[in-house]
Structure formats: structure tokens, C-alpha cells
Amino acid sequence: MPNLRFTEKALSEWMRGTANDSDIVISSRVRIARNLQHLPFPLLATRQQSEEVLKRLSKVTGNQNIKGLGPFYTVKLDEIEPIDKKVLVEKHLISPSLASESQNGAVMINEDESVSIMINEEDHLRIQCLYPGFQVREAWGKATAIDDLFESEVDYAFDDKRGYLTSCPTNVGTGLRASVMMHLPALVMTQQINRILSAVSQVGLTVRGIYGEGSEAIGNLFQISNQITLGQTENEIIDNLHSVVLQIIEHEKNARMRLMNDSRLRIRDRIKRSYGILSYAEIMDSKEAGQRLSDVRLGIDLGIVQGPSIPVMNELNVMTQPGFLQKKFGHDMNSEERDIYRARLIREALANT
């Protein structure tokens, strides 16, 4: 029987936490890519070889309570329905690639869903740690501790000159991808966002959508991450990202202050208008939902909207995605049906706050 405990609810327990600057930084994530020595990388591996990878890596998490993180639950991707795979992607517990392309793909998830360990994705092993707010250093600390545990049990593919070897050249070296999800509505409204993002790309960082490479930035959510994995130490990568994000936070705070000083009535009107539409609309597509939810989140942060909490807004961001909508209401939906159920779900959630 496949383990579906992680697709039954939208909000992961770790998302209920708070941290410094959590009004602007939604979450921090660190992902480490590794491969086992003497086995072909997943793209070239036979089914038997990918089964061997899964067996060897499962043994590590199955036998140990990793650094007090509690037991891990294994979900094999070929044992669950496509809709459950979609929900796992929408909750950022697995990548779209693991959901659609893996052979003997699996994910091991801990109780509060702050750690997910993907097996047989693009690389044999991808360790992912998630924290609420701006805690990228904390996420790195946890990820490297788990990495050390695996490395004490299995031999990694490693080259003395190049570092850790990975399927994609852009991950060779440290295999480290650190990122933060930022909510930057004021920089978008004041039309400063393109200048800021352009500057970010010049210091070795990149900007992606909310589901990683190739995805669109929806609801003023931007994922900032390191581009370079070779030629820098892990600590240098984390420090660079940390420093740049601090500057973006400051720019967003200043932009919010200017909006409230120069356009207070217009901002209040926009936020309350969005709250009213979310509360009463009968039909709503995902793009409009993302924008309206962004407005209300900003209203909560600025003290303009009372009632819904940030965890409720986090939950709605997941619940209004196509996969979760169909999972919750128990049947396949076309685009128009999803728009109707999305509006209904938002109305009911806000009415209960």
C-alpha cells in the first residue's frame, strides 16, 4: 500500500514556523546532489542498477534516526497515482523531473516534511532541506549533516580536481543549490524588479519561478538561487546568497514604505479590492488567484487586512494548484472546472478566518 500521508493535506508542518524577515522571505531551501561510485548515473542506469541504488540508500535512512529528525517515510513514485505525484511537486517535496522521468524513483520524507531525499532523480541522491523564512544557513547546516551521514555509509562519485560528480555539468563541484523564495510585490509595483533581478544575475545568482527552472514567477514570488557550483566553497556560496538576499529584503522594505507614504489610498484600495474579489468570486484562474493572494499577503504584512493568517495564505498557495484541487475534490477536472472549484475553495477558506 503506497504511503499517501503527504498528499492528503496542503500545508507542511514546517510551513507553520516563523523566522526573521518571514514577511518577505517565504522559505529557504538547500539541495545537495550526489551520485554513488561505480554505478552509472540515472540517465544510463539499467532498471536493476537503479534498484540497487534505491536499496543501498534506503538502508541508510531506514536504519538511523537522522540527527533527531525522526523516522523517514518512503514513497515509491511508480506505486502512486499521477495526481499524488502532482501534489508532491506542488508542495515542493519532489521535483517535476522525479515525478515524470525517473526509473525506480522514490522520495524519503520526514514527519514535518522539512526534509525530502529524492532517489534516482537526475542524480542518484538529492537531499533537500526546507525552512520557513530567511534561514538559508540553518537549512545548509541540516543538509550537510545528512550528507555526512550518507557519506559515512556509501562511497560518492568524487574527483579530486572537480569535486562531486553530477549528471548535469552545472551541478559539478559542490552539487549545492541554495535558494530562497521571496515575495516582492512592492518592487514589482514600483517597477524596480527588473533592475534588481538584473543586478542579481551579475553576482553569480539566478532567478527562477516557484517550481524551479523553466517555471513562471506567479504572485510576485521569486526564487533566488546560486548559479555557480564549481570554483567556490559551500560556505562562500551560502554567504554570497545570504548577503544578496539581505540587500533585496532592504529594497523591498523601502519600496513598501514609499508606497505607503506616497500612494497609501491606492494601495489600501488595491488590497481590499483583491480581498473582496477572493471572498466572493465564483470563478478564478490560477494567475488571478496568485496575484490576488499576493495582494492580500501584502495587506496582512502592512496591517491593512485582519483575519487570515500567513499559514492560511501559505496553505491557499498550495490548495489552489491544479493537482491539489483535483485531489481534494476527488475527480479529474478541466480548466474551467478547476477555476470554479478554486474560487469556491478560496471563498470557504477566507470565510473561516
Side-chain angles (χ1 to χ4, degrees), residues 67-138:
K67 295 289 181 184
L69 295 175
F72 279 74
Y73 303 88
T74 300
V75 179
K76 295 181 179 178
L77 276 298
D78 57 5
E79 293 182 354
I80 64 175
E81 298 295 325
I83 193 66
D84 291 299
K85 294 180 189 178
K86 274 189 179 180
V87 173
L88 290 175
V89 172
E90 290 169 357
K91 294 179 72 175
H92 300 277
L93 293 175
I94 65 173
S95 67
S97 174
L98 186 71
S100 61
E101 301 171 9
S102 63
Q103 176 176 248
N104 279 316
V107 59
M108 302 163 189
I109 307 172
N110 72 333
E111 190 79 33
D112 70 356
E113 305 175 14
S114 63
V115 180
S116 62
I117 300 170
M118 290 177 273
I119 311 295
N120 287 322
E121 201 245 26
E122 185 177 277
D123 296 293
H124 290 149
L125 173 64
R126 288 198 164 188
I127 302 164
Q128 174 182 268
C129 293
L130 292 152
Y131 269 70
F134 189 27
Q135 300 190 82
V136 68
R137 284 177 169 151
E138 288 79 359

Side-chain angles (χ1 to χ4, degrees), residues 196-348:
I196 298 290
L197 298 185
S198 175
V200 162
S201 67
Q202 294 174 20
V203 291
L205 302 179
T206 189
V207 182
R208 296 182 170 91
I210 61 173
Y211 294 109
E213 192 169 355
S215 63
E216 185 182 357
I218 298 173
N220 300 318
L221 294 174
F222 298 87
Q223 188 178 168
I224 316 291
S225 60
N226 63 298
Q227 178 81 350
I228 299 169
T229 59
L230 185 65
Q232 292 183 333
T233 67
E234 290 89 343
N235 286 333
E236 286 172 339
I237 291 170
I238 297 294
D239 287 346
N240 184 40
L241 177 65
H242 193 274
S243 171
V244 172
V245 169
L246 279 178
Q247 294 177 54
I248 299 175
I249 290 171
E250 202 59 33
H251 284 298
E252 172 66 19
K253 286 180 177 177
N254 290 335
R256 291 183 183 192
M257 193 180 305
R258 279 199 299 276
L259 284 173
M260 289 300 285
N261 287 337
D262 301 340
S263 312
R264 178 180 295 267
L265 188 58
R266 287 191 179 279
I267 292 302
R268 289 175 62 86
D269 178 72
R270 171 173 172 157
I271 290 169
K272 290 187 174 183
R273 192 179 295 271
S274 286
Y275 188 56
I277 290 171
L278 289 171
S279 299
Y280 293 102
E282 295 281 349
I283 184 166
M284 182 167 292
D285 63 33
S286 59
K287 190 170 183 180
E288 181 180 6
Q291 185 57 58
R292 301 289 181 193
L293 290 171
S294 169
D295 287 345
V296 173
R297 178 186 287 272
L298 177 63
I300 296 169
D301 292 339
L302 296 177
I304 295 170
V305 173
Q306 310 294 328
S309 63
I310 290 301
V312 168
M313 303 309 291
N314 289 339
E315 193 169 22
L316 281 174
N317 276 338
V318 178
M319 292 174 79
T320 53
Q321 299 302 311
F324 195 88
L325 278 173
Q326 294 172 87
K327 175 74 177 178
K328 178 175 177 59
F329 292 104
H331 60 91
D332 293 339
M333 299 177 189
N334 60 32
S335 176
E336 184 173 0
E337 287 177 308
R338 291 200 301 271
D339 292 348
I340 294 169
Y341 278 94
R342 180 179 294 110
R344 170 183 157 184
L345 191 149
I346 294 172
R347 287 198 313 271
E348 291 176 353

Side-chain angles (χ1 to χ4, degrees), residues 49-62:
Q49 289 166 331
S50 63
E51 284 177 358
E52 173 66 17
V53 170
L54 178 57
K55 181 180 175 184
R56 289 168 63 177
L57 294 177
S58 297
K59 190 175 177 183
V60 179
T61 55

